[in-house]
Amino acid sequence: MLNIIWFLLLAIGIIVGAANGKMQEVTDAAINSAGTAVELSIGLIGVMALWLGIMKICEDSGLVKLLSRAVRPIMVRLFPDVPKDHPAIGAMMMNISANILGLGNAATPLGIKAMKELDKLNPHKGIASNAMVMFLAINTSSVTLISATTIALRASAGSHNPTSIIAPTILATIFSTIAGISAVLLLQKLPMFSIERAIEKAKKEEDRTKAS
C-alpha cells in the first residue's frame, strides 16, 4: 500500500510539473532532495550510534526488566483475559518497556512474539481479540521517555538543543496512550464492534465466497 501511495505522489508531481511547464524544476528538486537525504543519513550515524549504545546499556543493565516489573500490575488489569503467567504477558511487558526506552529494534520482535502468543489464546482465529486490539493500541501510541530517532534527526539538522523534545514527547505519548486505551475500552463495549458481530460478518463473507 505504501508503495502505491509513494508512486501516486511521484506521478502526480511529475504530471503537474509537466502540465505547468516546470519539468526542469521537478528534476532539480529531485536531485537536490536526493543529495540532502544522503547528507542527513550520514549526519545521523554518529548520533544514532551514541543513543543506541546508551539504550543497549539500559537493556543489558536490566533497566528494561525493571520497567517490566513496574508495569505488570497495570498489564494484568488491561488484559483480564490473559492468564497472569502466560508468555504473552512477559512478551508484552518487554515490548512496552523497550518502547518506553526508545529501543525500537528490540521492541519489534518482542511485539511480534507477543501477538503470536495472544493469538494462541484467541478462540476465533482470523479475528483480533480484545487483548490483541488493546496491545496494538498501546504499542502504537507507546509512552516514550527518550525518542532517540527524533533527537538524532534534530541534531543532524543543526538543532542547538536537540534533546529539548524529551519533555513534550513524554507528555504527548502519555496522552496518546491514554487516548488509545480509552478508545479500545469504549469501542469494545459497543455492539457494532463486538467479536460476535465480527464472527457473523466473517461467516456471511465466507458463505458468499462459497456461493460464488
Side-chain angles (χ1 to χ4, degrees), residues 128-149:
S129 64
N130 288 336
M132 295 171 75
V133 175
M134 176 64 78
F135 174 64
L136 181 61
I138 295 174
N139 184 274
T140 304
S141 56
S142 184
V143 173
T144 305
L145 297 180
I146 301 175
S147 180
T149 304

Side-chain angles (χ1 to χ4, degrees), residues 65-84:
K65 291 183 179 179
L66 186 63
L67 280 172
S68 295
R69 295 194 192 99
V71 300
R72 178 181 287 274
I74 301 174
M75 296 291 289
V76 172
R77 294 189 178 184
L78 289 177
F79 300 92
D81 299 333
V82 181
K84 295 180 180 180

Side-chain angles (χ1 to χ4, degrees), residues 29 49 51 63-64 91 95 104 110-111 126 133-135 139 148 164 170 172-173 175 182 199 203-204 207 211:
W51 280 105
L63 185 55
V64 175
N95 168 268
L110 290 169
V133 175
M134 176 64 78
F135 174 64
N139 184 274
S164 63
I170 293 173
T173 53
F175 285 115
S182 301
I199 294 172
K203 284 184 177 179
K204 287 182 179 179
D207 294 339

Side-chain angles (χ1 to χ4, degrees), residues 36-198:
T36 302
V38 172
E39 293 175 2
L40 184 61
S41 299
I42 293 174
L44 282 172
I45 293 175
V47 182
M48 284 300 293
L50 171 64
W51 280 105
L52 289 176
I54 293 174
M55 294 300 108
K56 184 62 177 175
I57 292 172
C58 292
E59 184 180 6
D60 293 342
S61 65
L63 185 55
V64 175
K65 291 183 179 179
L66 186 63
L67 280 172
S68 295
R69 295 194 192 99
V71 300
R72 178 181 287 274
I74 301 174
M75 296 291 289
V76 172
R77 294 189 178 184
L78 289 177
F79 300 92
D81 299 333
V82 181
K84 295 180 180 180
D85 297 328
H86 195 275
I89 290 290
M92 286 190 293
M93 288 193 302
M94 292 294 287
N95 168 268
I96 293 171
S97 299
N99 276 325
I100 288 174
L101 293 175
L103 295 168
N105 292 335
T108 300
L110 290 169
I112 295 173
K113 177 176 175 56
M115 274 298 185
K116 288 182 178 179
E117 294 295 338
L118 288 173
D119 193 48
K120 292 178 182 178
L121 297 171
N122 186 9
H124 311 293
K125 304 300 181 184
I127 299 175
S129 64
N130 288 336
M132 295 171 75
V133 175
M134 176 64 78
F135 174 64
L136 181 61
I138 295 174
N139 184 274
T140 304
S141 56
S142 184
V143 173
T144 305
L145 297 180
I146 301 175
S147 180
T149 304
T150 307
I151 292 172
L153 284 169
R154 286 168 57 83
S156 179
S159 172
H160 295 294
N161 188 10
T163 58
S164 63
I165 53 101
I166 291 179
T169 298
I170 293 173
L171 288 175
T173 53
I174 286 174
F175 285 115
S176 67
T177 301
I178 292 173
I181 293 173
S182 301
V184 174
L185 292 175
L186 173 64
L187 294 177
Q188 70 183 11
K189 293 179 180 179
L190 299 180
M192 64 181 300
F193 294 107
S194 66
I195 293 179
E196 291 76 14
R197 184 182 178 90

